[in-house]
């Protein structure tokens, strides 16, 4: 349940949530704040999504959580962490709330990019600069559970690279193998109609696990 140090933006977000929750869990944001504030001796949750169970007649809440391994990659939370979390939340939740703590599903993705380079420039140097820019953006992004991958943001990044005349395509691709998540997720059917976003279901979290090999490109 150990996690890397939260970023400045994460700390700011969690501080706002802690102030508004007033040490009780009523809303989804309250639950998130309480979970992220759990003392480290009980373990740590990297990401959480709080969802009202639509199939329940009572106020049953599904908590989808994910942790981090020693290398900073997403991994399922241990049973001991889940038990600690459930016990910890019992001090803050409403009496009529029932809670199910579930594993979020990791979807490992990479990106295949295709660009057109300025003919006055070395096209392979331009391609490398484009790949490095996407890698940098992914290294500094940790998606939330249920958060879409915004393909349009990567188009914007590439168009600002010196020497890139045009961006032909950016295609998210599922990465599979022994080092990746085995969860099956159809990327094509979960892409928005305009192709701008790769949509995540409420229990899904995207991860670019190995940017150095998961992001590849071609240049014309």
């Amino acid at each position: 349940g150990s996690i890397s140090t939260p970023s400045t933006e994460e700390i700011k977000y969690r501080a706002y949530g802690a102030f508004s929750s007033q040490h009780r869990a009523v809303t989804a944001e309250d639950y998130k704040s309480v979970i992220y504030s759990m003392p480290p001796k009980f373990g740590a949750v990297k990401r959480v999504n709080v969802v009202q169970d639509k199939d329940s007649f009572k106020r049953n809440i599904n908590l989808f959580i994910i942790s981090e391994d020693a290398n900073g990659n997403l991994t399922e939370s241990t049973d001991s962490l889940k038990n600690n979390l459930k016990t910890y939340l019992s001090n803050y939740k409403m009496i009529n709330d029932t809670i199910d703590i579930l594993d979020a599903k990791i979807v490992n993705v990479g990106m295949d990019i295709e660009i057109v380079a300025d003919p006055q420039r070395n096209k392979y140097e331009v391609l490398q600069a484009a790949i490095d820019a996407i890698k940098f953006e992914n290294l500094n992004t940790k998606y939330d559970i249920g958060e879409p991958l915004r393909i349009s943001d990567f188009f914007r990044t590439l168009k600002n690279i010196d020497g890139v005349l045009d961006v032909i395509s950016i295609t998210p691709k599922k990465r599979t193998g022994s080092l990746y998540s085995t969860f099956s997720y159809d990327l094509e059917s979960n892409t928005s109609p305009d192709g701008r976003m790769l949509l995540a279901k409420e229990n899904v979290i995207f991860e670019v696990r190995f940017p150095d090999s998961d992001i590849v490109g071609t240049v014309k």
Side-chain angles (χ1 to χ4, degrees):
S2 174
I3 61 170
S4 57
T5 304
S7 67
T8 304
E9 286 302 312
E10 287 177 315
I11 293 172
K12 184 189 299 182
Y13 173 79
R14 295 178 188 183
Y16 287 144
F19 177 79
S20 63
S21 71
Q22 297 296 305
H23 302 291
R24 68 186 189 281
V26 179
T27 67
E29 293 306 313
D30 291 341
Y31 270 100
K32 289 181 181 181
S33 174
V34 169
I35 291 168
Y36 287 137
S37 301
M38 185 171 69
K41 64 181 180 181
F42 299 129
V45 172
K46 182 63 178 179
R47 290 287 186 269
V48 59
N49 195 21
V50 182
V51 180
Q52 177 80 44
D53 189 344
K54 301 180 182 65
D55 296 326
S56 174
F57 293 108
K58 299 180 180 180
R59 186 179 152 90
N60 189 66
I61 296 170
N62 290 331
L63 302 179
F64 297 103
I65 65 171
I66 204 74
S67 294
E68 225 178 35
D69 65 17
N71 297 316
N73 297 323
L74 297 179
T75 187
E76 289 187 357
S77 303
T78 63
D79 289 338
S80 60
L81 172 56
K82 294 172 189 172
N83 291 331
N84 289 345
L85 178 58
K86 195 157 193 172
T87 301
Y88 180 73
L89 287 173
S90 66
N91 299 308
Y92 299 93
K93 73 180 186 69
M94 305 299 286
I95 293 176
N96 60 334
D97 283 0
T98 58
I99 296 172
D100 288 325
I101 300 177
L102 307 167
D103 290 311
K105 303 301 183 182
I106 303 167
V107 176
N108 292 128
V109 296
M111 293 183 200
D112 293 357
I113 67 175
E114 187 176 3
I115 63 172
V116 177
D118 185 334
Q120 303 299 317
R121 301 284 301 274
N122 182 309
K123 64 180 183 179
Y124 297 108
E125 290 180 357
V126 174
L127 175 61
Q128 189 58 55
I131 291 174
D132 288 344
I134 298 295
K135 283 166 51 178
F136 180 80
E137 192 161 338
N138 274 285
L139 285 171
N140 288 276
T141 300
K142 291 291 185 182
Y143 296 98
D144 277 322
I145 301 168
E147 180 184 2
L149 189 153
R150 296 173 178 83
I151 302 170
S152 56
D153 288 350
F154 296 111
F155 267 97
R156 190 178 305 113
T157 296
L158 291 184
K159 287 181 177 180
N160 288 328
I161 301 297
D162 187 31
V164 174
L165 290 185
D166 193 18
V167 181
I168 299 174
S169 65
I170 300 176
T171 309
K173 292 291 183 70
K174 182 82 167 65
R175 296 301 189 235
T176 58
S178 60
L179 299 177
Y180 297 98
S181 167
T182 58
F183 178 65
S184 178
Y185 196 69
D186 188 342
L187 300 189
E188 185 175 350
S189 65
N190 286 288
T191 300
S192 63
D194 60 8
R196 293 176 180 269
M197 290 193 297
L198 179 59
L199 305 174
K201 297 187 185 301
E202 62 190 14
N203 66 332
V204 164
I205 183 167
F206 293 124
E207 178 190 42
V208 180
R209 177 156 294 195
F210 305 113
D212 287 339
S213 57
D214 292 341
I215 299 170
V216 297
T218 57
V219 59
K220 293 184 177 181

